[in-house]
Amino acid sequence: MQDVYTHIETLGIVPVVVIDGAQDAVPLAQALCRGGLPCAEVTFRTAAAEDAIRSITAHCPDMLVGAGTVLTAEQADRAIDAGARFIVSPGLNPATVRHCQQKGVPVFPGVSTASEIELALSLGISTVKFFPAEQAGGIAAIKALSAPFADMRFLPTGGIQPDNMNAYLAHPSVIACGGSWMVKKELIAARQFDRIEKLTAEAVRTMLGFELCRISIACTDKTEAKQAAGMFGALFGFAKPDGGAVFFGNSLELPPPPHLKKNGYIAVGVNSVMRAAAYLERTGCACRTDTAAYKNGALAAICLAQEIAGFTVQLVQK
Ligand code: 3PG
């Protein structure tokens, strides 16, 4: 089983939930799962939080559920007993941190300054919540703090939206973004679970950034490849014959690269191959680990196990 840190990094977004009625917890969790994000940080800002975590744990086993706005060791105990698999706090309370550590439950205390990060390090914390992210300087602040604290990882939360999320996620020290935009309190209270599902699916698509970026057409031989190249060149000005391979900008090439299927190869660009592959796996679309390629230690390309219309489909890092 994945550890919680890897699990959160793989998901990329942690929905931050404020829930007034525990009876809404399971439909909410199901909407998040359908939208592609089986994760929630249920905040202890309402009396329903503990029961909500208990219900989600009992009815949605695939969901990674944690507790947020945990201010005391006593709240952490209630959250953990209800099934919370991680604890998040807006600030850094050494007593709460030590309590969670003694219980062996991952804890993400909130920080926004260098001194707080030093305190977190002295407590053996490797990943902090960066809060309130936008108000505390946003991604520029994380970049600046990452210089002296190169090993610290951040879970920024506060003011994150679809339009600024990817700037955070592109930084290697950011494991995921937290945010409430897809699970607004009013949407939950109005039981608008379809809307929550849609906003969640949009958030996932924005994060992954799927984009058709290259097509290779399988030709029977070099003559056919050259002819095709000539046609594309004559008709559209794409052609640029280059030795054995024929490239058309970055959008079409002949002959195709390895892992070729009957009809060729399609490269789909993504913001994170690791997150995109994990997302597709969750939807039942497996990837072939024997095709994985790495760059600077990060997954940079991988092929889907299934071909589509005779084409190999490969996820590639944009
Ligand atoms: C939190 O508790 O982490 C924040 O309230 C969530 O921030 P947001 O509502 O701005 O996304």
Side-chain angles (χ1 to χ4, degrees):
M1 199 159 104
Q2 282 178 317
D3 72 41
V4 164
Y5 299 97
T6 308
H7 200 154
I8 288 177
E9 184 160 23
T10 303
L11 289 162
I13 302 172
V14 177
V16 177
V17 171
V18 178
I19 190 163
D20 282 320
Q23 73 282 358
D24 294 334
V26 171
L28 168 69
Q30 289 167 338
L32 286 167
C33 289
R34 287 196 305 274
L37 263 185
C39 180
E41 174 194 323
V42 181
T43 58
F44 267 62
R45 293 177 209 176
T46 65
E50 187 180 342
D51 283 344
I53 292 171
R54 188 168 283 110
S55 295
I56 295 171
T57 302
H59 295 100
C60 308
D62 293 338
M63 190 91 176
L64 176 65
V65 63
T69 323
V70 172
L71 305 179
T72 62
E74 182 266 337
Q75 276 181 336
D77 279 340
R78 282 168 47 210
I80 294 164
D81 288 347
R85 294 181 44 208
F86 62 94
I87 299 293
V88 185
S89 305
L92 198 166
N93 178 335
T96 312
V97 167
R98 283 200 199 94
H99 189 74
C100 294
Q101 288 170 326
Q102 275 157 15
K103 293 204 139 193
V105 176
V107 56
F108 301 84
V111 305
S112 62
T113 66
S115 298
E116 289 160 350
I117 294 174
E118 284 200 29
L119 180 54
L121 281 172
S122 73
L123 290 164
I125 291 290
S126 58
T127 309
V128 286
K129 167 170 166 153
F130 182 66
F131 178 80
E134 280 294 287
Q135 296 81 350
I139 183 60
I142 290 182
K143 282 181 185 164
L145 290 165
S146 292
F149 304 112
D151 293 334
M152 184 54 83
R153 311 289 315 274
F154 296 91
L155 175 65
T157 311
I160 296 182
Q161 302 284 337
D163 61 356
N164 59 11
M165 162 180 67
N166 282 333
Y168 285 94
L169 291 174
H171 196 273
S173 69
V174 171
I175 70 159
C177 286
S180 65
W181 77 90
M182 77 299 284
V183 285
K184 284 269 172 243
K185 195 176 174 204
E186 311 77 62
L187 292 176
I188 302 172
R191 300 183 65 82
Q192 292 189 11
F193 300 116
D194 288 350
R195 177 95 185 114
I196 289 171
E197 176 186 340
K198 190 163 175 287
L199 287 169
T200 304
E202 281 170 11
V204 172
R205 283 290 153 100
T206 301
M207 169 179 67
L208 299 177
F210 289 127
E211 198 176 275
L212 184 60
C213 73
R214 191 161 62 243
I215 298 174
S216 298
I217 299 170
C219 296
T220 46
D221 54 27
K222 278 191 177 166
T223 310
E224 191 189 39
K226 248 189 148 149
Q227 268 174 7
M231 287 291 284
F232 280 106
L235 293 173
F236 311 115
F238 289 168
K240 191 179 166 297
D242 183 14
V246 183
F247 292 94
F248 301 91
N250 196 27
S251 58
L252 197 147
E253 64 185 277
L254 305 167
H259 315 307
L260 171 70
K261 286 294 174 198
K262 179 164 57 77
N263 293 335
Y265 153 94
I266 295 172
V268 176
V270 292
N271 291 331
S272 159
V273 177
M274 171 270 291
R275 291 195 180 106
Y279 163 78
L280 291 172
E281 298 255 1
R282 291 199 297 277
T283 69
C285 173
C287 291
R288 274 179 49 186
T289 47
D290 62 318
T291 66
Y294 294 85
K295 196 174 172 192
N296 301 329
L299 186 61
I302 195 164
C303 293
L304 304 192
Q306 69 181 86
E307 60 189 78
I308 300 177
F311 283 83
T312 296
V313 180
Q314 185 183 39
L315 304 176
V316 294
Q317 185 67 45
K318 282 201 247 181

